[in-house]
């Protein structure tokens, strides 16, 4: 039950972070938002290290570094897919792929969730697909954009898998490694591409909020993984688009389509099934 609570809280915080990140990208360049938010997250994790101590080891740091590279690659590919495709295709493709890979990895590693929990996993994957749909958006999208979206999802899924492979007693050290590598990669890409890292006027606070929330979600993920199975924790975390949608509805007044509301309902049912298993 503890793992379910932590993973669900992680999804809520991830979704809120994405909401703030989305607001930030309306005013500032993508590279500026990503780089500065990641730096804010790095500052937070360094501040939390004394409060949630763990055993430092080269293995913990290396798994974190690898996870950070996978996550940063996934983010860059995700934005690339959005630039060449349409959100109604790219978002669900990326989200479902990032959820499926950790589930398959967990099952292949010998995890055997209760059949009721597996039913919840299937329902959760369906809910991610539904809440990411936007019937009002343009249809279609090139095969290339779909392939890039799949690669982006693999990057995000790899982030969760690689973090889970870090030693259980490592505490927050894997996240330190992950953030160091992701910040370095994003800044280098920005320099090579000649993109500015300066945020728009008044945009820094929103960017920092997105970065702090994203790192808080990462911490909750590690805590959840320490308490439960990767195949269940990862799929609960993947429900984050539901909270982003609900925030957009409440704060921005965006309209939710029936298919998306159905997805939110399925997400709640999935959490309930996994919790009672």
């Amino acid at each position: 039950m503890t793992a379910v609570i932590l993973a669900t809280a992680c999804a809520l915080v991830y979704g809120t972070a994405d909401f703030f990140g989305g607001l930030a990208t309306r005013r500032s360049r993508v590279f500026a938002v990503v780089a500065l938010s990641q730096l804010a997250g790095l500052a937070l994790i360094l501040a939390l290290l004394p409060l949630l101590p763990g055993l430092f080891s080269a293995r913990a740091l290396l798994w974190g570094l690898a996870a950070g590279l996978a996550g940063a690659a996934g983010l860059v590919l995700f934005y690339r897919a959005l630039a060449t495709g349409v959100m109604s295709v790219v978002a669900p493709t990326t989200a479902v792929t990032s959820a499926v890979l950790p589930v398959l990895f967990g099952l292949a590693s010998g995890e055997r969730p209760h059949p009721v929990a597996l039913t919840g996993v299937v329902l959760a994957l369906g809910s991610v697909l539904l809440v990411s749909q936007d019937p009002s958006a343009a249809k279609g999208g090139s095969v290339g954009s779909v392939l890039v979206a799949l690669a982006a999802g693999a990057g995000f899924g790899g982030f969760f898998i690689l973090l889970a492979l870090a030693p259980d007693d490592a505490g927050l050290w894997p996240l330190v490694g992950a953030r160091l590598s992701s910040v370095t990669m994003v800044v280098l890409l920005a320099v090579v591409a000649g993109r500015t890292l300066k945020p728009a006027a008044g945009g820094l606070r929103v960017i920092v909020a997105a970065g702090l929330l994203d790192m808080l979600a990462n911490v909750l993920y590690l805590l959840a993984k320490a308490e439960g199975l990767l195949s269940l924790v990862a799929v609960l975390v993947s429900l984050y688009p539901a909270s982003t949608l609900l925030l957009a509805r409440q704060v921005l007044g965006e309209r939710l389509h029936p298919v998306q509301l159905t997805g939110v309902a399925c997400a709640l049912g999935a959490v309930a099934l996994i919790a009672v298993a």
Side-chain angles (χ1 to χ4, degrees):
M1 180 62 74
T2 301
V4 172
I5 294 172
L6 289 170
T8 304
C10 176
L12 291 172
V13 178
Y14 264 137
T16 306
D18 278 1
F19 174 75
F20 278 100
L23 289 180
T25 55
R26 293 185 176 187
R27 309 180 73 180
S28 303
R29 299 281 187 178
V30 169
F31 271 107
V33 173
V34 174
L36 294 175
S37 64
Q38 300 253 314
L39 283 171
L42 177 60
L44 176 61
I45 200 63
L46 291 176
L48 289 176
L49 273 177
L51 302 177
L52 295 170
L55 183 63
F56 174 81
S57 67
R59 183 173 169 226
L61 201 61
L62 287 173
W63 281 121
L65 288 169
L69 290 176
L75 192 61
V76 172
L77 289 168
F78 179 64
Y79 283 123
R80 175 62 181 169
L82 289 177
T84 59
V86 291
M87 175 65 79
S88 59
V89 175
V90 170
T93 300
T94 301
V96 172
T97 304
S98 68
V100 168
L101 288 181
V103 172
L104 294 178
F105 181 85
L107 295 175
S109 300
E111 294 183 355
R112 293 296 179 264
H114 190 279
V116 173
L118 285 176
T119 302
V121 167
V122 174
L123 188 60
L125 294 176
S127 73
V128 172
L129 185 64
L130 292 174
V131 299
S132 301
Q133 295 292 335
D134 184 1
S136 64
K139 300 298 180 183
S142 66
V143 174
S145 67
V146 173
L147 293 177
V148 175
L150 287 170
F156 293 143
F159 174 80
F160 292 126
I161 293 171
L162 292 166
L163 274 186
L165 290 173
D168 292 334
D169 59 357
L172 301 182
W173 283 108
L175 291 179
V176 175
R179 197 42 47 102
L180 285 173
S181 62
S182 62
V183 167
T184 302
M185 179 177 177
V186 172
V187 171
L188 285 176
L189 286 173
V191 171
V192 171
R195 305 296 174 84
T196 180
L197 296 181
K198 183 179 180 180
L204 185 59
R205 285 186 297 178
V206 178
I207 293 173
V208 170
L212 296 178
L213 288 168
D214 179 69
M215 181 52 73
L216 177 58
N218 289 337
V219 172
L220 289 170
Y221 169 74
L222 276 187
L223 294 175
K225 175 57 189 71
E227 297 290 336
L229 301 178
L230 174 64
S231 53
L232 299 183
V233 168
V235 78
L236 287 175
V237 170
S238 73
L239 298 176
Y240 68 88
S243 57
T244 306
L245 261 177
L246 293 175
L247 274 173
R249 172 67 181 88
Q250 293 299 317
V251 178
L252 303 178
E254 293 186 3
R255 178 172 171 264
L256 298 185
H257 298 280
V259 66
Q260 294 172 317
L261 290 172
T262 301
V264 173
C266 289
L268 295 175
V271 173
L273 285 173
I274 294 173
V276 301

